[in-house]
Amino acid sequence: EAKTKEDTIEIAVQVNGKVRAKVNVTMEEDEDAVFAKVMESEAARFINGMQIVKKIYVKGKIYNIVVKQ
């Protein structure tokens, strides 16, 4: 059973409710490490220059970021 589990998984990154990118993370990574990967992904262009209102991370499923100008 341990061998059937994936080491890395792909999670969706949403910015204001729209999927903007997908990043590969491990199950052991904490929220800060995942956010660093999000900022290296395609989603960064929708976040840069904006004020982050809220960050919601559901481990192993999705990273949602709410931004405003």
Side-chain angles (χ1 to χ4, degrees):
E1 184 176 318
K3 293 181 180 181
T4 61
K5 290 186 180 180
E6 293 289 327
D7 291 336
T8 61
I9 56 171
E10 185 176 67
I11 64 169
V13 178
Q14 286 187 341
V15 179
N16 286 344
K18 295 182 182 176
V19 176
R20 299 296 186 180
K22 293 186 180 191
V23 294
N24 291 319
V25 298
T26 63
M27 291 300 291
E28 292 81 31
E29 286 185 277
D30 63 346
E31 184 175 349
D32 294 331
V34 175
F35 183 70
K37 286 186 177 184
V38 167
M39 294 309 291
E40 294 172 0
S41 71
E42 299 170 8
R45 67 185 179 125
F46 297 100
I47 300 169
N48 290 334
M50 305 286 265
Q51 177 186 357
I52 296 176
V53 177
K54 186 183 273 189
K55 296 186 283 186
I56 304 164
Y57 176 53
V58 179
K59 190 170 186 168
K61 299 212 183 265
I62 196 166
Y63 202 105
N64 192 349
I65 301 171
V66 180
V67 296
K68 71 175 186 176
Q69 284 194 339

